[in-house]
Amino acid sequence: MRDNDRTTWGVRMGLGLYLAAAVVGGLLATGVRLPPLVGYLVAGFALGAVGAPAPDGLEQVAELGVVLLLFAIGLKFDARTLLRREIWLTTSVHIVLSTAVTIGFLGLLAVAGPALVADEPLGGLALVGFALSFSSTVFVVKVLEDRSDTTSLYGRIAVGLLVMQDVVAVVFMALSGGEVPSPWALALVLVIPAAWPLHRIWDRIGHGELQALFGVTVAVALGWGLFEAAGVHGELGALLMGVLLAKHPGASEMSRSLMTFKDLMLVAFFLQIGLHGRPGPEELLLAVALLAVLPLQVAFYAVLLWAMRLRRRTAFLTGLVLANFSEFGIIVAVVGASAGMLDERWVVVVSLAVAISFAVSALVNRRGVELASRMVKLLPHHSTHELHPDDRLVDVGHSDALVLGLGRIGAATYEQLRDGYGLSVVGVEHDPARVGELTARGFDVLRADATDVEFWTRVRRAGRVQMVVLAMPFHKANLIALARLQKAGFTGKVAAVARYDDDVDELRRHGADAVFHLYGSAGTALADHAAEVLLHRDGPTRARDPEVLLHRESAPRAHEPEVAPGAAADRAVADGP
């Protein structure tokens, strides 16, 4: 075999080994009801322990995964959130408190005798405390996405805190000799006016793979590439480009189209964490010991957010989801070690602590909602008028029906229930721009996330509500909202939209009274519309009583599409949700 052939064969085998290890790790983690990313971390450490050579390009793929993740966060992020007191003040105070507590804890360990701690000067211990004061953007966003809680109040607060922490970490790396920005960094402010032509280009692109390619190009070339060239952290540039494009109507669609790229590349990121050296017993024990500061960090988050007049439940949910160390902590440790501020073995310790904290946080957040409910007794109760405006009780008691998700399907359903059936209807929508648009058109809209457990705990006087329509574009979001309704004790009728046959079956199994199959019913709706317009003939007669409609359509005949309430909703399927 020629040398080139042997090299190619070795590269392929190395890549195959890492892919196989990731699959096995993910399957094992899923088997014990942990997120797959915990399995990827374990696989990375196992490969590092046996000295398996990392395939070429693994680091670059991992970095691209983080770039796309931050770009996708930016597409959903409102930059004004960073100006809110509960974000910038909580971040600042929390970093100071967490760093101080970690210094004190390491000082106690130094008395016990670990050489790595005892020999480290106070400045080095302070740097370790600073590195461990951040929470992981990658991990937390994955947890929020799995829960469909990214747009919930506590999810938005958590992401805002993470972004502020990332900014602090980038400033530290710039000032500590990690990389000094070039004079050209000042020219990066030009990306702000550049958003206008990017929006115009996006308008002409349409949908499909070209839109996804456009998003990757903006994130990687303009965000990551330009900022790195100017000596500024490229991940920060990707986040900023996402924020600048967030107001485009297609932002949510682009975020969904990038999801597969991002998730696959992030596998490389989690594998790579385990390759920062082979830990010895002292490093492993020290990393496990450092987990003792996590409960204190959760307490700091909860108390600080409660002091900002957020509900106790919201404060504890935010604290629990942030109960982990950050991959930025590894970067800070690497920068500190390369600058001579820290012993290089601390990089291994911090890497281990980050990885183990992910596993612990995954276990904790499996029951995060239940834990938050139990922990509320630890803090005094705020009266309603004292609460933060975004966290006060929501009154829907005057309405007969709720429509959750006000895209085109949801808005059409809202109008038909209100105008066609004479019902009092309230819509629930999380997109502020959409809320403003529909409010101007006379809709009664609450800005909230129907998948957020906090929303349902805040809803009061809902005894008159007879019907809820789940019209959100994501099947998982509709399932979560259905579960939230049932847990809240709702006894009325529930209708939902679905795109695929198995989604229809799953919604019905979980208790939906009527399910509208978007694709399966499009032909029937189009035929009715064609008959009305071309033949001047009315479509099939429909019952006007919503109760009768829901009972009749909750059990469709075999091979017959299910129909949701309202002809207006039927006619909207061609446009999508």
Side-chain angles (χ1 to χ4, degrees):
M1 185 181 291
R2 292 178 298 178
D3 290 341
N4 287 342
D5 292 339
R6 289 193 186 95
T7 302
T8 303
W9 182 83
V11 169
R12 290 173 180 171
M13 287 299 294
L15 180 59
L17 174 64
Y18 271 73
L19 290 173
V23 171
V24 171
L27 286 173
L28 291 175
T30 304
V32 295
R33 299 181 63 189
L34 287 173
L37 63 87
V38 176
Y40 307 149
L41 284 166
V42 173
F45 274 102
L47 291 167
V50 300
D56 293 338
L58 182 68
E59 182 177 353
Q60 288 74 20
V61 172
E63 194 163 9
L64 284 175
V66 175
V67 166
L68 292 180
L69 173 70
L70 292 173
F71 179 69
I73 293 172
L75 288 174
K76 302 176 183 177
F77 191 70
D78 186 350
R80 292 171 296 181
T81 301
L82 299 179
L83 302 178
R84 295 166 59 169
R85 188 181 62 165
E86 60 266 26
I87 300 300
W88 65 265
L89 184 56
T90 299
T91 301
S92 305
V93 176
H94 187 274
I95 288 175
V96 173
L97 290 175
S98 295
T99 303
V101 165
T102 305
I103 293 173
F105 179 73
L106 289 173
L108 291 175
L109 288 181
V111 175
L116 183 59
V117 181
D119 296 340
E120 195 67 47
L122 180 61
L125 298 182
L127 183 59
V128 173
F130 179 72
L132 296 179
S133 66
F134 306 123
S135 297
S136 170
T137 301
V138 178
F139 181 86
V140 172
V141 172
K142 285 289 292 179
V143 171
L144 292 173
E145 286 180 347
D146 290 343
R147 291 180 181 176
S148 293
D149 277 354
T150 308
T151 56
S152 66
L153 177 60
Y154 89 89
R156 296 197 307 270
I157 291 172
V159 171
L161 294 171
L162 291 167
V163 171
M164 283 298 296
Q165 290 177 355
D166 291 349
V167 171
V168 172
V170 169
V171 171
F172 164 80
M173 287 184 283
L175 297 177
S176 63
E179 186 173 2
V180 179
S182 75
W184 288 103
L186 295 174
L188 292 175
V189 296
L190 295 176
V191 300
I192 298 176
W196 186 87
L198 289 175
H199 277 253
R200 303 290 79 77
I201 295 171
W202 193 352
D203 290 338
R204 296 180 176 274
I205 283 177
H207 311 278
E209 68 277 3
L210 187 56
Q211 179 174 242
L213 179 61
F214 174 72
V216 172
T217 302
V218 172
V220 176
L222 295 181
W224 185 40
L226 280 181
F227 277 66
E228 286 284 345
V232 180
H233 212 53
E235 281 80 359
L236 183 63
L239 176 67
L240 177 59
M241 295 309 301
V243 171
L244 292 176
L245 296 182
K247 292 188 179 298
H248 192 279
S252 295
E253 182 184 350
M254 177 179 285
S255 179
R256 292 195 297 270
S257 66
L258 294 176
M259 189 175 297
T260 301
F261 296 109
K262 175 193 69 179
D263 288 347
L264 287 175
M265 290 179 176
L266 284 175
V267 173
F269 170 82
F270 290 112
L271 285 172
Q272 189 193 26
I273 287 180
L275 304 180
H276 286 284
R278 300 182 185 181
E282 184 180 356
E283 287 87 355
L284 180 59
L285 288 174
L286 186 53
V288 172
L290 284 170
L291 297 178
V293 304
L294 280 178
L296 292 174
Q297 292 194 2
V298 173
F300 294 153
Y301 279 124
V303 172
L304 289 170
L305 292 172
W306 171 83
M308 302 295 170
R309 302 300 179 185
L310 289 165
R311 296 171 74 230
R312 297 172 295 175
R313 188 182 176 94
T314 304
F316 278 114
L317 273 174
T318 307
L320 287 171
V321 81
L322 293 171
N324 48 74
F325 299 133
S326 172
E327 60 280 355
F328 263 121
I330 302 173
I331 300 172
V332 169
V334 170
V335 170
S338 63
M341 302 164 62
L342 201 62
D343 189 297
E344 290 188 357
R345 286 193 296 165
W346 279 106
V347 177
V348 178
V349 173
V350 172
S351 299
L352 276 170
V354 169
I356 299 171
S357 76
F358 284 2
V360 172
S361 187
L363 288 170
V364 168
N365 281 286
R366 273 171 50 185
R367 297 188 174 274
V369 174
E370 291 86 346
L371 286 173
S373 300
R374 294 175 184 175
M375 295 165 73
V376 294
K377 300 176 183 178
L378 300 175
L379 292 173
H381 173 67
H382 287 309
S383 61
T384 300
H385 71 276
E386 293 177 327
L387 285 171
H388 191 287
D390 290 347
D391 214 12
R392 291 176 183 168
L393 295 175
V394 177
D395 189 355
V396 297
H398 65 282
S399 60
D400 301 309
L402 290 178
V403 178
L404 309 182
L406 292 175
R408 279 168 286 196
I409 290 287
T413 303
Y414 179 107
E415 290 181 305
Q416 181 69 3
L417 290 174
R418 181 190 63 187
D419 303 333
Y421 294 99
L423 299 177
S424 174
V425 188
V426 170
V428 178
E429 172 60 46
H430 74 272
D431 183 353
R434 184 66 171 163
V435 170
E437 174 192 341
L438 293 172
T439 300
R441 289 169 50 188
F443 284 62
D444 187 0
V445 186
L446 295 173
R447 183 188 171 188
D449 185 351
T451 65
D452 179 11
V453 67
E454 284 294 283
F455 170 72
W456 296 108
T457 61
R458 290 165 53 211
V459 169
R460 65 175 177 179
R461 293 202 301 123
R464 282 187 52 188
V465 177
Q466 306 168 31
M467 179 192 303
V468 173
V469 180
L470 309 177
M472 290 173 285
F474 295 111
H475 172 65
K476 186 175 181 180
N478 287 326
L479 273 178
I480 292 174
L482 180 58
R484 302 280 194 252
L485 275 169
Q486 293 169 341
K487 190 171 183 179
F490 180 66
T491 57
K493 302 298 180 180
V494 180
V497 296
R499 296 175 183 270
Y500 306 107
D501 291 338
D502 53 345
D503 293 347
V504 171
D505 294 338
E506 189 171 15
L507 283 164
R508 293 186 61 203
R509 282 199 313 272
H510 284 79
D513 298 283
V515 184
F516 178 69
H517 192 315
L518 291 178
Y519 299 143
S521 301
T524 303
L526 181 59
D528 288 347
H529 191 51
E532 292 176 18
V533 174
L534 301 177
L535 304 179
H536 306 289
R537 186 180 302 170
D538 291 337
T541 303
R542 299 181 183 271
R544 305 305 292 176
D545 184 353
E547 289 283 328
V548 174
L549 181 75
L550 283 166
H551 278 299
R552 186 187 69 187
E553 294 174 347
S554 62
R557 292 180 299 232
H559 309 297
E560 186 173 280
E562 300 186 45
V563 184
D570 289 348
R571 294 168 190 167
V573 293
D575 293 325

